[in-house]
Amino acid sequence: MSGLRRAAARAWGPPRALRAFSARPRDRETLTGKYGEDSKLIYDLKDQGGELLSLRYDLTVPFARYLAMNKITNIKRYHIAKVYRRDNPVMTRGRYREFYQCDFDIAGQCDPMIPDAECLKIIHEILSALQLGNFLIKVNDRRILSGVFAACGVPESKLQAACSTVDKLNKMTWEDVKNEMVGEKGLTPEAADLIGEYVKLHGGLDLVEQLLQDPRLSHNKLAGEGLRDMKLLFEYLMLFGIVDKISFDLSLARGLNYYTGVIYEAVLIQQQNDRVEELVDVGSVAGGGRYDGLVGMFDSKRQKVPCVGVSIGIERIFSIVNCKVKASKEKIRTTETQVLVAAPQKHFLAARLKLISELWDAGIKAEMLYRENPKLLKQLHYCEDTGIPLAAIIGEQELKDGVVKLRDVATRQEVDIPRQKLLEEIRRRLES
Amino acid sequence: MSGLRRAAARAWGPPRALRAFSARPRDRETLTGKYGEDSKLIYDLKDQGGELLSLRYDLTVPFARYLAMNKITNIKRYHIAKVYRRDNPVMTRGRYREFYQCDFDIAGQCDPMIPDAECLKIIHEILSALQLGNFLIKVNDRRILSGVFAACGVPESKLQAACSTVDKLNKMTWEDVKNEMVGEKGLTPEAADLIGEYVKLHGGLDLVEQLLQDPRLSHNKLAGEGLRDMKLLFEYLMLFGIVDKISFDLSLARGLNYYTGVIYEAVLIQQQNDRVEELVDVGSVAGGGRYDGLVGMFDSKRQKVPCVGVSIGIERIFSIVNCKVKASKEKIRTTETQVLVAAPQKHFLAARLKLISELWDAGIKAEMLYRENPKLLKQLHYCEDTGIPLAAIIGEQELKDGVVKLRDVATRQEVDIPRQKLLEEIRRRLES
């Protein structure tokens, strides 16, 4: 995860106030009513003494709770930690019941779309740095979706349910989505058909302009706000130089209840004969949006703290990187050991222990075999097998001469180095 | 935790096979029978579909399970992750129900005491590097304890129970421990008194030698093995140069069932008028030992993989570091931001966005205020409040001249830098 950490450290503080997120598994009610249909995937703990507790489902709700409890109205932070979902795991695709998320969030009063654009820049930066292949960031806005649903005749009360259904469009055909809307969610077939026309749309700034002129949406206040903000967002993303990876996509809904404004999701894509195809196997690798009401839900005075954030799906990304590594058949070192301390004769364990201790104390990454009298050949093979570049060999002659034999494992060249110059020489070799 | 990570990376591989530890909360039976009296502190999950699951209590048992499941007989790794205990939390002392542990383990056939000595070296290195103050590493061996108990007339069947009771010596007086031994654990008062004589003993190599001559222990095979290994351990710790922090302490028992050989625990101490006092407030900050039977418990063929390891109590260490920081009243930066991108006039948001994007793309840690038109004074105050060393200011004149005004926040000196030389100049300033 060090790549992620580096990206995260660039402009974000370290994961502050670690404790505040984790005094104990959370009271069950903290999580109630935040996740919509997905609530059934929450892991509950057994009642072992009158406490109803659950495992956290994501990092967003705990973050919002933390802000409210500590009266924090302004913070920017990242957080890498585990979340739990009682879902059907698919190991090969990086879908687990316990998995890591990496979240970035910006909380506080800001002018429109500035932090939102930064979240998209972060996604772009991470996915580019990891060289996962081509990707696309779909963007939409809950207010635009609300406007579309309202214009299509969906009553306010059925809005969230309609959102959840539209969110399944990447897994289900439009036919099935429509059936669910009409059958389960109680929309009229006419409303569903009209929604179908809108959610097919995707494009760039031109689509935003087109919808701003759409007569059905022009009277809807929320849709107007959403579209004007979307225009602003595109302007900022242009300045960030990432607009070519952005798609304004009206089918993007995101299932979670707490989003209030812009929403986004990154997917990997494949260019095939002029056709862009989504790699549906892994699903989205990052997603997020604006949630201006969530902090207020935890505050006794309902004080709102506007927030926008993004979650990176670490396991899904790992599974893709893993596939790439396997395909390339490159041998990857699993340790960072720089020097193996070895001896050519028996009865040199004490000398090895003393030498390795000196190397450790000097901050050099060193190993030795955990045997009293290992064969020299075995020690040298170990270097070759694990990719350790140097061997520091100490035996009878070396001890007598006050030197250590330094062996370059790749070239097999050996040079006697005076003991007091050893650290310096090792550092010199490691740098070059 | 970066100090820990650095220490960990020195000679240890990265946390390999992350997934294998965490496909889901563990089957409850994985944890059964491993923790002795502490088993009551395991968090169970609610039965939500026929699966009896528990949260992990430590990192050792999951590590052993992982080795057995994957037929790994040789590995050395560190792992930083959360564990859960249904205990009474004491926030101020860094005792929580959900907390991080950092574990180091060496698994595989080794010659006696070589990896065990390395674990103690690791504890010494971490506690020294973190400058927590004076500390002591108590060392004992389960085989010596068994020998002592046997020599004092404790039957085999009551050994584990007697161990658990002795382990409470740092929290209870000897009187209370004796009462528990006799009353609850069914030992005779004579046996308890005799044990009392032994568990008072602590010292160095001299005590090992003394016990090797002890007529009561001389016939006990296990005690003999333990004492001879303890002698070897002291020899190796001498070579590692850390023997002055080690105390062979017969009262150290450690409650967990799975230890089979050497055990250890690090405590912080205070020197007061020639008396060494343990800082009991925080308890031990690190502990571990040898557990040669645990992997075999998870293997269908009961194949044993000898293991030795150490757990670092991260929260306890954090709470101590926190106290020190508060006491010193030093102001500590909570971000690593190097440059604030600012504008002196209105309507320069686009210019700021373009500039910050350039800095980000070059790997420079940059921030800007999330406002369209923030006041310059507010932007400069932000730098001073948060310790950002440089401000890159872009306004009308700068845009016209093709420069950026670079301000040193501490000295308030400002210099115009040609735009194409900006990155270079920022890097130069940050390095010096």
Side-chain angles (χ1 to χ4, degrees), chain A residues 113 115-117 119-120 138-144 226 229-230 233 237 252 254 259-264 288-292 307-309:
Chain A
M113 295 297 120
D116 314 61
C119 286
L120 292 169
K138 300 179 190 176
V139 182
N140 199 0
D141 193 300
R142 272 288 169 92
R143 293 167 296 174
I144 301 176
D229 275 351
M230 188 60 71
L233 182 65
L237 298 178
L252 178 70
R254 293 188 66 75
Y259 292 116
T260 55
V262 64
I263 48 180
Y264 31 80
R290 177 161 283 283
Y291 51 101
D292 287 348
C307 295
V308 64

Side-chain angles (χ1 to χ4, degrees), chain A residues 66-105:
Chain A
Y66 166 70
L67 297 194
M69 293 299 117
N70 295 281
K71 308 283 173 211
I72 292 167
T73 54
N74 214 321
I75 190 176
K76 171 172 161 178
R77 74 94 181 77
Y78 75 90
H79 188 186
I80 300 178
K82 277 184 179 168
V83 300
Y84 300 85
R85 297 188 185 176
R86 219 162 51 81
D87 207 346
N88 289 325
V90 190
M91 307 301 176
T92 49
R93 298 179 191 172
R95 292 177 66 103
Y96 303 95
R97 290 178 154 189
E98 180 189 48
F99 58 97
Y100 278 99
Q101 282 195 335
C102 171
D103 274 30
F104 299 82
D105 294 272

Side-chain angles (χ1 to χ4, degrees), chain B residues 30-31 34-35 58-66 258 294 298:
Chain B
T30 303
L31 306 184
K34 315 289 191 302
Y35 300 110
D58 65 4
L59 300 178
T60 310
V61 170
F63 174 65
R65 192 202 63 87
Y66 166 70
Y258 50 64
L294 195 55
F298 293 107

Side-chain angles (χ1 to χ4, degrees), chain B residues 33-54:
Chain B
K34 315 289 191 302
Y35 300 110
E37 285 185 13
D38 289 346
S39 296
K40 62 180 184 292
L41 302 182
I42 292 173
Y43 263 115
D44 292 331
L45 266 66
K46 195 171 134 185
D47 183 349
Q48 289 170 294
E51 291 174 304
L52 294 181
L53 307 171
S54 298

Side-chain angles (χ1 to χ4, degrees), chain B residues 1 15 18 24 33 60 63 71 73 94 98 101 113 117 122 177 212 225 256 264 283 287 300 319 335 339 384 389 406:
Chain B
M1 278 181 286
L18 183 72
R24 56 173 184 184
T60 310
F63 174 65
K71 308 284 174 209
T73 54
E98 181 189 48
Q101 283 194 336
M113 294 296 120
I122 287 275
V177 167
L212 275 169
E225 276 178 31
L256 305 177
Y264 31 80
S300 53
S319 81
T335 73
V339 181
E384 284 168 11
L406 199 60

Side-chain angles (χ1 to χ4, degrees), chain A residues 1 5 9-14 16 18-19 21-25 28 40 42-46 48-49 51 53 55-56 76 80-82 84 86 89 91 96-100 106 109-112 114-115 118 121 125 236 239-241 315 318 334-337 349-350 353-354 356-357 360-361 363-373, chain B residues 1 5 9-14 16 18-19 21-25 28 40 42-46 48-49 51 53 55-56 76 80-82 84 86 89 91 96-100 106 109-112 114-115 118 121 125 236 239-241 315 318 334-337 349-350 353-354 356-357 360-361 363-373:
Chain A
M1 279 180 287
R5 274 183 206 282
R10 187 180 46 72
W12 301 70
R16 276 201 241 177
L18 183 72
R19 290 268 29 100
F21 294 103
S22 52
R24 56 174 184 185
R28 200 165 288 168
K40 62 181 183 291
I42 293 173
Y43 263 115
D44 293 330
L45 266 66
K46 196 171 131 183
Q48 288 170 294
E51 291 174 305
L53 306 172
L55 297 184
R56 66 177 163 213
K76 171 172 161 178
I80 300 178
K82 277 184 179 168
Y84 300 85
R86 219 162 51 81
M91 307 301 176
Y96 303 95
R97 290 178 154 189
E98 180 189 48
F99 58 97
Y100 278 99
I106 303 172
Q109 287 293 344
C110 306
D111 282 328
I114 306 178
E118 184 168 335
K121 174 80 174 164
E125 186 174 327
Y236 298 164
L239 291 162
F240 282 165
E315 269 82 356
F318 273 18
T334 56
T335 73
E336 299 174 8
T337 309
L349 174 60
L353 288 172
K354 209 163 152 26
I356 201 170
S357 185
W360 284 340
D361 291 347
I364 290 166
K365 297 169 185 171
E367 268 189 85
M368 54 175 264
L369 298 196
Y370 297 118
R371 292 290 183 183
E372 265 186 85
N373 299 308
Chain B
M1 278 181 286
R5 275 183 204 282
R10 188 180 46 72
W12 301 70
R16 276 202 243 176
L18 183 72
R19 288 270 27 100
F21 293 104
S22 52
R24 56 173 184 184
R28 199 164 290 168
K40 62 180 184 292
I42 292 173
Y43 263 115
D44 292 331
L45 266 66
K46 195 171 134 185
Q48 289 170 294
E51 291 174 304
L53 307 171
L55 298 183
R56 65 177 164 213
K76 171 170 160 180
I80 300 178
K82 277 183 179 169
Y84 301 84
R86 219 162 52 79
M91 306 301 177
Y96 303 95
R97 290 178 155 189
E98 181 189 48
F99 58 97
Y100 278 98
I106 303 171
Q109 287 293 344
C110 306
D111 282 329
I114 306 178
E118 185 169 334
K121 174 81 175 163
E125 186 174 328
Y236 297 164
L239 290 162
F240 282 165
E315 269 82 355
F318 273 18
T334 56
T335 73
E336 298 174 9
T337 309
L349 175 60
L353 287 172
K354 209 164 154 19
I356 200 169
S357 186
W360 284 340
D361 292 346
I364 290 165
K365 297 170 186 170
E367 267 189 85
M368 54 176 264
L369 298 197
Y370 296 119
R371 293 289 183 184
E372 264 186 86
N373 299 308

